[in-house]
Amino acid sequence: MAHEPGPHTLDAEAVRTWSSLALAALGRVREDIDAINVYPVADADTGTNLYLTAEAADRALDESLAGVTDPTAAPASLAEAVRAYAHGALIGARGNSGTILAQLLRGVADV
Protein backbone atom coordinates (compact mmCIF):
# COMPACT_ATOMS: atom_id res chain seq x y z
CA MET A 1 0.00 0.00 0.00
CA ALA A 2 1.43 3.38 -1.00
CA HIS A 3 2.04 5.95 1.69
CA GLU A 4 -0.29 8.90 1.39
CA PRO A 5 1.37 12.27 1.89
CA GLY A 6 0.34 14.10 5.04
CA PRO A 7 -1.36 17.45 5.09
CA HIS A 8 0.60 20.40 3.81
CA THR A 9 2.43 22.37 6.45
CA LEU A 10 1.07 25.82 7.14
CA ASP A 11 4.23 27.88 7.13
CA ALA A 12 5.64 31.08 5.62
CA GLU A 13 6.09 29.41 2.23
CA ALA A 14 2.43 28.30 2.25
CA VAL A 15 1.42 31.93 2.91
CA ARG A 16 3.54 33.02 -0.06
CA THR A 17 1.89 30.41 -2.28
CA TRP A 18 -1.60 31.37 -1.11
CA SER A 19 -0.83 35.04 -1.66
CA SER A 20 0.32 34.42 -5.24
CA LEU A 21 -2.75 32.31 -6.01
CA ALA A 22 -5.12 34.85 -4.43
CA LEU A 23 -3.54 37.70 -6.39
CA ALA A 24 -3.82 35.77 -9.65
CA ALA A 25 -7.47 34.91 -8.93
CA LEU A 26 -8.31 38.54 -8.16
CA GLY A 27 -6.53 39.57 -11.34
CA ARG A 28 -8.79 37.26 -13.34
CA VAL A 29 -12.06 38.50 -11.79
CA ARG A 30 -11.35 42.14 -10.95
CA GLU A 31 -13.28 43.47 -13.96
CA ASP A 32 -16.24 41.23 -13.13
CA ILE A 33 -16.25 42.54 -9.54
CA ASP A 34 -15.91 46.11 -10.82
CA ALA A 35 -18.95 45.56 -13.06
CA ILE A 36 -21.22 44.53 -10.16
CA ASN A 37 -19.97 47.21 -7.76
CA VAL A 38 -23.02 49.28 -6.79
CA TYR A 39 -22.75 49.84 -3.03
CA PRO A 40 -22.06 52.15 -1.30
CA VAL A 41 -21.11 54.09 -4.44
CA ALA A 42 -21.45 52.77 -7.99
CA ASP A 43 -17.88 53.75 -8.89
CA ALA A 44 -16.97 50.36 -10.41
CA ASP A 45 -13.64 49.99 -8.64
CA THR A 46 -14.12 47.37 -5.93
CA GLY A 47 -12.38 44.60 -7.87
CA THR A 48 -9.51 46.89 -8.76
CA ASN A 49 -9.20 48.09 -5.16
CA LEU A 50 -9.15 44.52 -3.86
CA TYR A 51 -6.53 43.57 -6.44
CA LEU A 52 -4.30 46.56 -5.65
CA THR A 53 -4.56 45.89 -1.92
CA ALA A 54 -3.69 42.20 -2.40
CA GLU A 55 -0.83 43.22 -4.68
CA ALA A 56 0.60 45.50 -1.97
CA ALA A 57 0.25 42.70 0.59
CA ASP A 58 1.95 40.23 -1.74
CA ARG A 59 4.81 42.66 -2.38
CA ALA A 60 5.31 43.26 1.37
CA LEU A 61 5.33 39.52 2.00
CA ASP A 62 7.92 38.93 -0.73
CA GLU A 63 10.09 41.74 0.65
CA SER A 64 9.93 40.35 4.18
CA LEU A 65 10.78 36.82 3.05
CA ALA A 66 13.50 37.99 0.65
CA GLY A 67 15.42 39.31 3.64
CA VAL A 68 15.96 35.72 4.76
CA THR A 69 18.70 34.84 2.28
CA ASP A 70 21.32 33.61 4.75
CA PRO A 71 21.17 29.80 4.55
CA THR A 72 22.17 29.57 8.21
CA ALA A 73 19.35 31.90 9.33
CA ALA A 74 16.12 30.47 10.62
CA PRO A 75 13.33 30.58 8.04
CA ALA A 76 10.61 33.16 8.54
CA SER A 77 7.89 31.97 10.85
CA LEU A 78 4.25 31.64 9.92
CA ALA A 79 3.41 34.53 12.27
CA GLU A 80 6.06 36.80 10.69
CA ALA A 81 4.79 36.03 7.19
CA VAL A 82 1.13 36.67 8.05
CA ARG A 83 2.01 39.90 9.91
CA ALA A 84 4.03 41.16 6.92
CA TYR A 85 1.17 40.26 4.58
CA ALA A 86 -1.44 42.02 6.75
CA HIS A 87 0.78 45.09 7.20
CA GLY A 88 1.34 45.34 3.45
CA ALA A 89 -2.41 45.19 2.89
CA LEU A 90 -2.98 47.94 5.44
CA ILE A 91 -0.32 50.23 3.98
CA GLY A 92 -1.49 49.57 0.42
CA ALA A 93 -5.25 49.48 1.09
CA ARG A 94 -7.36 51.08 -1.63
CA GLY A 95 -10.94 52.13 -1.04
CA ASN A 96 -13.41 50.65 1.41
CA SER A 97 -12.99 47.12 0.08
CA GLY A 98 -9.22 47.25 0.48
CA THR A 99 -9.52 48.61 3.99
CA ILE A 100 -11.97 45.84 4.92
CA LEU A 101 -9.62 43.23 3.43
CA ALA A 102 -6.68 44.70 5.37
CA GLN A 103 -8.64 44.55 8.63
CA LEU A 104 -9.65 40.96 7.97
CA LEU A 105 -6.00 40.05 7.39
CA ARG A 106 -5.00 41.93 10.52
CA GLY A 107 -7.44 39.76 12.48
CA VAL A 108 -5.86 36.64 11.00
CA ALA A 109 -2.40 37.93 11.95
CA ASP A 110 -3.55 38.64 15.50
CA VAL A 111 -4.69 35.05 15.90
Side-chain angles (χ1 to χ4, degrees):
M1 177 178 251
H3 181 285
E4 292 294 320
H8 295 284
T9 303
L10 184 56
D11 58 11
E13 198 55 40
V15 175
R16 182 190 298 234
T17 299
W18 181 87
S19 175
S20 296
L21 293 171
L23 185 60
L26 280 169
R28 286 189 302 273
V29 298
R30 71 192 268 187
E31 290 179 0
D32 295 334
I33 297 170
D34 284 345
I36 61 171
N37 174 211
V38 295
Y39 182 83
V41 177
D43 51 7
D45 65 353
T46 294
T48 297
N49 288 339
L50 286 170
Y51 178 83
L52 293 173
T53 302
E55 183 179 53
D58 186 71
R59 189 170 43 253
L61 176 61
D62 279 346
E63 289 170 4
S64 85
L65 297 180
V68 185
T69 56
D70 179 358
T72 63
S77 72
L78 173 61
E80 291 167 334
V82 175
R83 279 193 301 267
Y85 189 72
H87 182 73
L90 179 63
I91 298 303
R94 301 289 193 271
N96 292 332
S97 56
T99 302
I100 292 166
L101 175 59
Q103 291 304 308
L104 174 71
L105 294 170
R106 179 179 170 202
V108 170
D110 286 349
V111 172

